[in-house]
Amino acid sequence: MTSHEKSQLEELDRVLRSNKMRMQIWRIISRVQAQLARKSEALMTWEPIPLQLFGAALPAEIRSSWVFILRAGTDTGAERHPNSHQRMMSIQGSGDMRTEQEGKWHSNFLISEPAAALEQRWISIPPNVWHRPVVGKDADWVVVSFHTVLAEELIEERPSPSMAGETKRMKYLDA
């Protein structure tokens, strides 16, 4: 991890650790948890976090933020974001955010222990890097993600189930 990237994560970490911010984000988490409970077939649910909740505290390149809750016992499959650098923190539970490098998947096990090292709670995923969250069977995994594009512009690509080498695109706010 470059020193610039580490400073970005440290800055985001400081913002998320504030009591005021935690209280506001937990309200969103509660809504997203309720959505997951209602949608028994869903592997995950999400909601954007309005950037104005953070005030002027975010790094300038951050253009959107999200709460994602991934269901316990799931592997949501490979995805990538061609138009955004993703920075993600584990808030509750734990999971393995696997990343693909040179054709091989690498584990990045993240935990939600506040005293843990930054690298154990955060991951930085550059644009176009394939990643796949894998969640243990014990508990849902709650994460907060920051992206470098506006919420309405965030693209997710997944491998096409019908055409090898092709991808299927969607925008999170269109789903």
Side-chain angles (χ1 to χ4, degrees):
M1 177 183 321
T2 67
S3 60
H4 170 74
E5 189 57 31
K6 186 168 184 176
S7 74
Q8 294 279 60
L9 294 181
E10 289 170 342
E11 193 172 342
L12 293 169
D13 194 58
R14 273 191 298 278
V15 170
L16 285 181
R17 283 178 177 261
S18 80
N19 287 336
K20 178 183 174 189
M21 189 54 54
R22 286 255 184 195
M23 287 177 54
Q24 293 185 33
I25 288 176
W26 278 105
R27 289 184 194 123
I28 297 170
I29 289 170
S30 293
R31 285 195 305 268
V32 178
Q33 284 174 323
Q35 290 173 12
L36 189 63
R38 283 191 307 273
K39 299 177 178 180
S40 60
E41 76 291 344
L43 299 179
M44 63 181 163
T45 51
W46 60 86
E47 181 179 318
I49 302 170
L51 288 186
Q52 56 268 32
L53 289 182
F54 298 102
L58 294 176
E61 68 185 56
I62 300 301
R63 306 298 305 272
S64 63
S65 181
W66 304 75
V67 166
F68 284 86
I69 301 181
L70 302 103
R71 191 176 301 282
T74 61
D75 175 342
T76 66
E79 65 179 76
R80 67 181 177 189
H81 307 290
N83 64 340
S84 182
H85 190 128
Q86 178 179 0
R87 293 167 177 98
M88 187 190 88
M89 179 186 183
S90 183
I91 295 287
Q92 184 178 40
S94 60
D96 185 4
M97 181 57 87
R98 297 177 183 169
T99 54
E100 190 269 336
Q101 299 161 6
E102 300 175 4
K104 294 182 182 177
W105 288 98
H106 299 274
S107 285
N108 301 280
F109 193 76
L110 301 177
I111 60 175
S112 298
E113 175 57 47
L118 188 80
E119 295 82 3
Q120 292 179 292
R121 297 178 289 112
W122 283 89
I123 188 167
S124 176
I125 306 169
N128 274 320
V129 171
W130 288 104
H131 52 282
R132 66 183 308 145
V134 179
V135 186
K137 295 177 183 173
D138 295 338
D140 295 340
W141 190 20
V142 180
V143 302
V144 172
S145 286
F146 293 91
H147 283 272
T148 55
V149 296
L150 298 172
E152 56 272 10
E153 296 174 6
L154 181 59
I155 295 171
E156 173 192 89
E157 286 185 341
R158 290 187 176 266
S160 173
S162 58
M163 298 184 66
E166 298 291 318
T167 60
K168 180 181 167 191
R169 281 186 167 201
M170 75 163 215
K171 291 186 178 178
Y172 277 106
L173 289 183
D174 293 344

